[in-house]
């Protein structure tokens, strides 16, 4: 595994209403650089692992497979923040999976899935926007500049 692991803690309930019943919270800021892309994910961001339908767990793996956690964290943040285009976010998801040792076949299937159905999750609804606003407020309280995290539309 090429990348430093993010520091995560499990959360029982999440303020983001789009999460599964289980989620993880990032406990410290996480920055990843791959090629020309630099993505900073703020501490406090919560995500629910890789969005893999349960029927596909047999041949892909479960949402909280350690090989998928980093790619899912970055991908979920990019889908919330829109700091990059959806296509670039999906490409980065695939690249992180490959760099973290996921087979090309499995990473390709996961990439295909996000390309096919990701459009349904790309547009932030009112709940997503409220969640992003709460993240921005948290950054402000910590003396951080929200633009460092790609939050350009606030």
């Amino acid at each position: 595994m090429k990348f430093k692991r993010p520091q995560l803690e499990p959360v029982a309930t999440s303020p983001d209403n789009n999460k599964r019943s289980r989620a993880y919270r990032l406990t410290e800021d996480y920055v990843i650089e791959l090629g020309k892309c630099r993505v900073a994910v703020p501490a406090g961001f919560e995500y629910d692992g890789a969005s893999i339908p349960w029927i596909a767990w047999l041949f892909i793996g479960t949402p909280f497979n350690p090989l998928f956690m980093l790619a899912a964290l970055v991908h979920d943040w990019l889908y919330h923040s829109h700091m990059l285009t959806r296509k670039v976010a999906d490409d980065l998801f695939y690249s992180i999976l490959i760099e973290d040792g996921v087979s090309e076949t499995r990473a390709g299937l996961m990439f295909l899935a996000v390309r096919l159905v990701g459009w349904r999750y790309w547009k932030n609804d009112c709940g997503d926007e409220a969640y992003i606003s709460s993240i921005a407020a948290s950054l402000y309280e910590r003396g951080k500049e929200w633009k460092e995290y790609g939050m350009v539309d606030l």
Side-chain angles (χ1 to χ4, degrees), residues 13-149:
T13 60
S14 174
D16 185 352
N17 62 357
N18 290 331
K19 300 289 182 264
R20 293 187 180 106
S21 60
R22 295 183 310 171
Y24 282 86
R25 177 182 301 121
L26 188 62
T27 61
E28 58 186 49
D29 289 355
Y30 186 81
V31 176
I32 187 169
E33 295 183 16
L34 186 62
K36 294 181 181 181
C37 288
R38 179 187 183 277
V39 177
V41 184
F45 179 68
E46 296 178 1
Y47 76 115
D48 56 0
S51 300
I52 303 168
W54 69 268
I55 196 74
W57 291 6
L58 293 172
F59 55 92
I60 296 290
T62 64
F64 298 107
N65 182 319
L67 289 175
F68 310 152
M69 291 293 283
L70 177 57
L73 169 70
V74 172
H75 194 251
D76 279 12
W77 174 248
L78 292 174
Y79 266 53
H80 273 82
S81 70
H82 293 175
M83 70 180 286
L84 301 170
T85 67
R86 182 175 158 244
K87 174 71 167 102
V88 173
D90 294 349
D91 289 345
L92 192 56
F93 174 72
Y94 175 81
S95 295
I96 295 169
L97 289 170
I98 293 295
E99 289 290 328
D100 261 356
V102 175
S103 72
E104 286 186 22
T105 302
R106 186 178 293 174
L109 289 170
M110 294 174 77
F111 174 77
L112 180 62
V114 298
R115 291 308 300 157
L116 290 175
V117 299
W119 62 270
R120 293 176 19 193
Y121 303 97
W122 179 254
K123 182 169 174 27
N124 288 336
D125 63 20
C126 293
D128 292 328
E129 289 175 10
Y131 179 64
I132 288 295
S133 291
S134 73
I135 294 286
S138 172
L139 290 171
Y140 178 77
E141 290 171 9
R142 295 190 294 138
K144 301 280 188 168
E145 179 62 43
W146 49 263
K147 291 180 182 177
E148 294 175 42
Y149 302 90

